[in-house]
Amino acid sequence: MRYGHFDDETREYFITQPDTPLPWINYLGCEEYFGLISNTAGGYSFFRDARLRRITRYRYNNVPMDMGGRYIYLRNNANGYSWSPSWMPVRRSLDFYECRHGMGYTKITSTSHEIMSQVRYFVPLGERLEVWELSLTNQRSTVANISVFSAIEFALWDAWDDATNFQRNFSTGEVEVEGSVIYHKTEYRERRDHFAFFACSEPLVGFDTQREAFLGSYRGWDSPLVVEQGQSENSIAHGWQPIGSHHISLRLHPSETRQIIFVLGYHENPRDQKFDPPDSQTINKRTASPLIARYLDPAQIQAAFDALHDYWDGLLSVYQVHTPDEHTNRMVNIWNAYQCMITFNMSRSASYYESGIGRGMGFRDSTQDILGFVHMVPERARQRILDLAATQLGSGGAYHQYQPLTKRGNNDVGSGFNDDPLWLVLAVSTYIKETGDWEILDEKVPYDNQVGSEEPLYGHLQRSLRYTIDHLGPHKLPLIGRADWNDCLNLNCFSSEPGQSFQTTTSKDGKVAESVFIAGLYILAAQEMESLARHLDRQTDVLAALETAVDMEDVLWQSGWDGAWFRRAYDDFGNPVGSQECAEGQIFIEPQGICIMAGLGLNNHLARLALDSVKERLATPHGILLQQPAYSHYYLHLGEISSYPPGYKENAGIFCHTNPWIMIAEALTGDGDQAHNYYLRINPSAREAISELHRCEPYVYAQMIAGRDAPTHGEAKNSWLSGTAAWNYVAITQWILGIRPSHSGLEIAPVIPSSWQGFSAQRIFRGVIYDITVERIGSGNSSHLFIDGQPVEGSIVPLPTPGTKVVKVRVQIGK
Ligand code: BGC
Ligand code: NOJ
């Protein structure tokens, strides 16, 4: 069953009924000011950091699940009937409803009692504000007297403090109202140099800034007293819960349309110019006012919206493809790329499943996000790499997370996740392949943000590799530390007390438990390091990378191979995890993917054997399971993985992040049918038809789909913020469609389904447009390249002479 449909022309998903199985959300803003918005206008906004600069309030885990947002109430003044044009929060039925989520904007249209309402929400590029454009049309044959009420609830900035220290916050809230603008200035009197504003284009007949006055006591957002009575209270918040609500009264003639604009924003003043007059406590509005005026002007707004549209045109044009499969086209050309932008911006901080309070930017998360994002805005990827590297520790280890506002490592979680630093090597080499910007390796970057500790980025990468070699265990495999990629395989934790953090509790000295996954990742990273060092002509480093990779491979075959697949780890007792010897958790997906991506078993039949084991034991129609058999009990020596009921999350769920590793491995063995078949199993668009089972948004990936041991097999959870976005993008664009940057040019080596007769693609790479046509001339995936009509050896299109604008590539595949 579907709850809407795609429109690939407009790059929108149309939701046609408001009660989707879960809130289906979108993101506004892609630079500094961000918002989450659901299909019923729920959600919130923040400036840069969802914890430290939360602008509007949102209560997670609420009843109903999505409550609080960017609400508008309409009231028929003739009879007092009121409704929400976004259906929520009033939930009165609408005669028509449609929500279109697009690239950086959301548009909700509805009709009730012959009043048509349309609201378009977006964040203009370069601004720290969001615009809501409301237009109302009277479809009646008589005059309509309508009251419009806006409503948002301000958060008192630090979302953690807002939720926990509310006794203080009940006394700190402060606002100002001037004309049609409501200013939220809590804590501005003391250390904050920022305030929020909520402006309206129309003269007001009233306003409210005190939540209780607007809602009435004992009432919720679904039935505000002020809307019921049809008149605002003109309340001024003194503490308690400041809100912003404008009241506009309209007299609409038959067929008349009126536009009302609301602007919600964040503004900073220089510390010495906070007040006007200087000795007062009144906000200095000199720089904010012109900005507000600008975005209350419809012409300016349309120009800003067009600019946003053009921006996305540009970003998406970097990789466009036309294949025989609509789900591939749609995800590659639109939604998967879009999700990669969102994961790049948010890491795992703020979604409808991540509170924005607990996690900042994850080290391994953000480094992997870069893999799917770098081609869109390489300069931002560059900055992110340098920010991440600055949180690396002198030992080569890394803080697991950092706060986006301060860019400092997060001490609560600390370090010791032993895979973290290796991902940095992959991110940097991917960045250089995309851009050819070798200078990044010379950038001086500190360790742990300490002044004086700066070293060229190249040295950071060397230390990343060194960190693994400095932490080897009894089998000479890398020690796992707190956890590797699988945060829930906690082999040194041994936690028996409820409430202890699996991520930070370490009851063992960590000298025994080892990770086969990190060994595979190490080889992959060492290979990248080798090519970086070779380019720089650093022979010693080339040799060191080669030798350590070869040694690691030997160790892997000796202690990491289980006979028909790669093992996962060794626990604190030195026993294997992910082996035939185990009663449960015999085979894990991660080492099969990473080891084959590192090249293991490709020159003999062992990669094939491991992949056949995956197919036989882990593959389901809904995707590939993380491991099997699921853990049926909680095991002290395995940690959080066994805390989940079988089939959920890391305990044998379909953890979508890992599936593309198998797709890539299949492509490396040349099986395009299997690779693409796995691709489609978790492709959100392909799952749209089973939305009632999948439940999450059909336009973005979710972290997890319940595995076959779960009663709800096929149900997705935790949409949007997952490494799934970047890795699926990499798997389909670089390994199945086979178009991937390399240091010496654009490589094109498709491994596509046998039924495909070909495809065409446009890839903009280092400023040149590659116009690519692939045609099948026989079976198999061996390919022959013709550049501007001339045959070339190998699979790499060499970098063209400077000044070249377009390169035409024809690829013949099959024999
Ligand atoms: C989740 C993991 C997550 C970890 C880190 C666990 O509870 O299951 O997916 O990576 O927390 O916060
Ligand atoms: C989610 C985390 O964000 C990611 O870093 C981790 O690799 C996966 N969970 C698997 O545990």
Side-chain angles (χ1 to χ4, degrees):
M1 181 187 167
R2 292 178 166 83
Y3 297 82
H5 54 92
F6 287 95
D7 183 337
D8 298 338
E9 281 299 301
T10 58
R11 300 193 295 241
E12 291 170 326
Y13 191 81
F14 280 37
I15 299 166
T16 48
Q17 77 183 65
D19 51 342
T20 46
L22 290 163
W24 284 4
I25 76 159
N26 192 14
Y27 284 82
L28 308 176
C30 54
E31 296 163 321
E32 293 189 314
Y33 184 102
F34 300 105
L36 288 73
I37 182 162
S38 72
N39 57 310
T40 56
Y44 64 96
S45 298
F46 59 93
F47 171 70
R48 279 178 44 189
D49 190 316
R51 171 169 175 178
L52 299 172
R53 289 284 191 282
R54 183 87 58 109
I55 295 168
T56 58
R57 197 176 259 159
Y58 192 77
R59 285 176 191 74
Y60 281 98
N61 226 341
N62 208 342
V63 185
M65 187 168 170
D66 183 27
M67 179 54 86
R70 300 170 182 81
Y71 291 145
I72 287 168
Y73 299 85
L74 299 178
R75 182 178 190 273
N76 211 354
N77 287 337
N79 60 7
Y81 182 85
S82 62
W83 72 98
S84 297
S86 54
W87 189 61
M88 283 284 278
V90 172
R91 271 198 331 276
R92 296 224 165 94
S93 64
L94 299 165
D95 300 322
F96 173 81
Y97 161 91
E98 176 190 272
C99 167
R100 303 185 192 197
H101 286 316
M103 306 286 104
Y105 67 90
T106 286
K107 198 151 88 180
I108 301 177
T109 308
S110 67
T111 309
S112 179
H113 292 77
E114 294 174 284
I115 301 295
M116 186 176 101
S117 141
Q118 188 169 83
V119 201
R120 185 165 73 176
Y121 300 93
F122 75 101
V123 175
L125 290 170
E127 301 295 2
R128 299 168 168 191
L129 53 83
E130 65 187 64
V131 175
W132 314 359
E133 295 169 82
L134 166 68
S135 72
L136 292 173
T137 305
N138 179 9
Q139 297 179 332
R140 302 176 191 165
S141 52
T142 54
V143 169
N145 287 311
I146 303 290
S147 271
V148 180
F149 297 89
S150 64
I152 50 131
E153 185 173 9
F154 291 110
L156 305 187
W157 303 113
D158 179 336
W160 172 254
D161 183 71
D162 191 31
T164 52
N165 193 19
F166 54 91
Q167 61 76 27
R168 174 176 195 270
N169 301 335
F170 278 175
S171 294
T172 56
E174 287 190 294
V175 298
E176 284 178 30
V177 181
E178 213 177 273
S180 298
V181 191
I182 295 166
Y183 296 87
H184 174 233
K185 60 169 189 175
T186 299
E187 293 189 348
Y188 190 71
R189 61 166 51 242
E190 26 133 340
R191 293 155 295 176
R192 293 191 185 274
D193 57 1
H194 43 270
F195 58 89
F197 54 81
F198 188 33
C200 173
S201 59
E202 306 305 300
L204 306 183
V205 291
F207 63 84
D208 275 292
T209 68
Q210 182 76 73
R211 194 185 72 201
E212 202 83 339
F214 179 71
L215 295 181
S217 38
Y218 296 97
R219 287 171 178 243
W221 294 104
D222 56 343
S223 57
L225 183 64
V226 157
V227 176
E228 191 175 296
Q229 71 195 14
Q231 186 52 54
S232 295
E233 294 286 337
N234 296 346
S235 59
I236 294 289
H238 301 289
W240 297 111
Q241 300 92 353
I243 63 159
S245 172
H246 308 94
H247 177 194
I248 304 106
S249 183
L250 297 179
R251 196 177 142 78
L252 287 172
H253 292 284
S255 304
E256 187 185 353
T257 297
R258 285 280 292 278
Q259 196 179 35
I260 302 174
I261 297 158
F262 299 96
V263 180
L264 172 66
Y266 168 93
H267 197 74
E268 283 173 8
N269 269 338
R271 287 196 176 265
D272 56 351
Q273 292 166 37
K274 280 170 57 169
F275 303 105
D276 184 19
D279 57 356
S280 75
Q281 288 289 299
T282 311
I283 299 175
N284 172 0
K285 306 180 183 83
R286 285 168 206 265
T287 53
S289 298
L291 196 69
I292 294 172
R294 178 158 174 221
Y295 284 101
L296 291 176
D297 172 358
Q300 297 279 0
I301 296 178
Q302 191 54 42
F305 186 79
D306 293 343
L308 180 68
H309 192 270
D310 293 349
Y311 179 69
W312 274 104
D313 261 350
L315 294 183
L316 297 177
S317 69
V318 179
Y319 198 131
Q320 286 289 301
V321 71
H322 188 73
T323 77
D325 176 53
E326 66 164 343
H327 305 298
T328 303
N329 298 342
R330 177 178 290 148
M331 292 310 292
V332 169
N333 296 342
I334 307 170
W335 291 99
N336 194 177
Y338 183 62
Q339 190 179 0
C340 285
M341 165 68 91
I342 307 299
T343 55
F344 176 83
N345 286 333
M346 300 290 134
S347 196
R348 308 295 168 265
S349 67
S351 74
Y352 266 34
Y353 305 85
E354 302 279 4
S355 70
I357 294 178
R359 303 209 243 170
M361 312 295 280
F363 194 93
R364 79 158 87 86
D365 297 325
S366 290
T367 37
Q368 291 173 81
D369 291 345
I370 286 171
L371 310 181
F373 171 80
V374 63
H375 66 291
M376 288 194 275
V377 198
E379 317 76 66
R380 290 187 66 201
R382 186 182 210 273
Q383 187 57 49
R384 178 63 53 75
I385 286 170
L386 299 177
D387 290 346
L388 283 159
T391 67
Q392 191 177 16
L393 302 167
S395 64
Y399 276 105
H400 197 47
Q401 297 161 355
Y402 76 88
Q403 273 317 119
L405 193 70
T406 62
K407 296 190 178 175
R408 294 293 155 126
N410 181 343
N411 275 313
D412 300 344
V413 184
S415 67
F417 296 78
N418 285 351
D419 63 317
D420 272 339
L422 294 173
W423 297 109
L424 183 65
V425 181
L426 299 196
V428 172
S429 80
T430 302
Y431 168 79
I432 296 175
K433 284 179 189 166
E434 180 67 40
T435 58
D437 172 17
W438 290 90
E439 276 91 70
I440 193 174
L441 292 175
D442 301 328
E443 287 285 345
K444 293 252 175 64
V445 186
Y447 289 95
D448 194 7
N449 283 293
Q450 296 304 311
V451 177
S453 66
E454 292 81 2
E455 189 185 19
L457 181 63
Y458 183 83
H460 282 252
L461 304 187
Q462 288 285 78
R463 288 200 204 191
S464 293
L465 291 179
R466 191 74 240 162
Y467 180 84
T468 304
I469 300 301
D470 286 347
H471 294 82
L472 297 179
H475 297 89
K476 300 271 179 270
L477 285 164
L479 290 169
I480 198 165
R482 286 187 160 146
D484 61 21
W485 173 88
N486 190 333
D487 278 324
C488 300
L489 191 61
N490 315 119
L491 303 180
N492 292 305
C493 182
F494 285 75
S495 171
S496 55
E497 294 308 311
Q500 280 179 335
S501 158
F502 287 109
Q503 266 69 53
T504 57
T505 305
T506 309
S507 313
K508 297 288 170 170
D509 63 8
K511 301 230 167 67
V512 180
E514 298 169 296
S515 164
V516 174
F517 178 84
I518 300 182
L521 180 60
Y522 180 85
I523 297 171
L524 202 55
Q527 289 163 353
E528 296 303 323
M529 194 71 215
E530 191 238 319
S531 57
L532 298 184
R534 196 179 289 283
H535 180 92
L536 301 181
D537 213 11
R538 297 189 186 223
Q539 284 313 318
T540 332
D541 296 349
V542 171
L543 287 177
L546 276 174
E547 278 167 18
T548 53
V550 167
D551 290 351
M552 193 66 86
E553 183 167 346
D554 286 346
V555 169
L556 239 160
W557 287 121
Q558 260 166 44
S559 307
W561 179 251
D562 198 59
W565 58 78
F566 294 97
R567 293 182 170 176
R568 179 62 179 83
Y570 284 90
D571 66 20
D572 183 59
F573 306 106
N575 295 324
V577 177
S579 158
Q580 317 245 20
E581 291 173 27
C582 309
E584 297 176 341
Q586 292 180 336
I587 173 171
F588 281 66
I589 191 172
E590 308 100 298
Q592 322 314 324
I594 206 86
C595 292
I596 298 172
M597 287 200 290
L600 270 75
L602 286 175
N603 52 9
N604 53 35
H605 67 291
L606 296 181
R608 192 64 264 151
L609 185 58
L611 289 171
D612 288 346
S613 302
V614 168
K615 190 168 164 189
E616 186 187 319
R617 292 164 184 259
L618 298 178
T620 81
H622 296 291
I624 312 168
L625 304 169
L626 194 142
Q627 107 273 14
Q628 280 289 286
Y631 293 115
S632 58
H633 298 66
Y634 174 57
Y635 297 106
L636 205 58
H637 66 291
L638 297 176
E640 184 171 354
I641 189 166
S642 60
S643 73
Y644 292 108
Y648 293 103
K649 297 270 300 184
E650 282 87 342
N651 188 14
I654 296 154
F655 214 90
C656 297
H657 185 144
T658 59
N659 279 222
W661 297 341
I662 300 299
M663 298 167 204
I664 297 171
E666 286 289 357
L668 286 168
T669 65
D671 195 337
D673 283 316
Q674 193 57 57
H676 195 259
N677 178 307
Y678 284 146
Y679 172 73
L680 283 183
R681 293 187 201 195
I682 62 166
N683 178 305
S685 161
R687 297 177 65 77
E688 186 201 19
I690 51 164
S691 287
E692 78 287 2
L693 173 65
H694 184 79
R695 301 186 79 223
C696 281
E697 296 91 329
Y699 38 92
V700 290
Y701 287 95
Q703 183 200 61
M704 197 258 317
I705 297 172
R708 70 167 164 238
D709 301 284
T712 57
H713 184 32
E715 181 194 40
K717 274 191 199 129
N718 200 345
S719 53
W720 285 94
L721 304 186
S722 165
T724 309
W727 276 107
N728 273 282
Y729 191 78
V730 169
I732 185 69
T733 60
Q734 300 191 14
W735 298 97
I736 299 178
L737 301 174
I739 304 170
R740 52 183 179 267
S742 80
H743 290 310
S744 51
L746 191 64
E747 180 157 17
I748 310 180
V751 185
I752 55 176
S754 48
S755 62
W756 286 16
Q757 290 314 303
F759 66 91
S760 59
Q762 172 184 282
R763 177 68 159 90
I764 303 176
F765 174 58
R766 303 197 195 176
V768 178
I769 299 174
Y770 290 77
D771 196 340
I772 303 162
T773 322
V774 177
E775 50 179 358
R776 182 176 285 296
I777 54 163
S779 58
N781 284 299
S782 60
S783 48
H784 303 281
L785 256 55
F786 299 84
I787 301 168
D788 294 324
Q790 299 303 310
V792 279
E793 281 297 306
S795 57
I796 297 180
V797 184
L799 296 170
T801 46
T804 308
K805 298 219 162 26
V806 182
V807 176
K808 283 200 182 305
V809 189
R810 194 155 54 85
V811 185
Q812 291 183 336
I813 58 168
K815 285 194 207 105

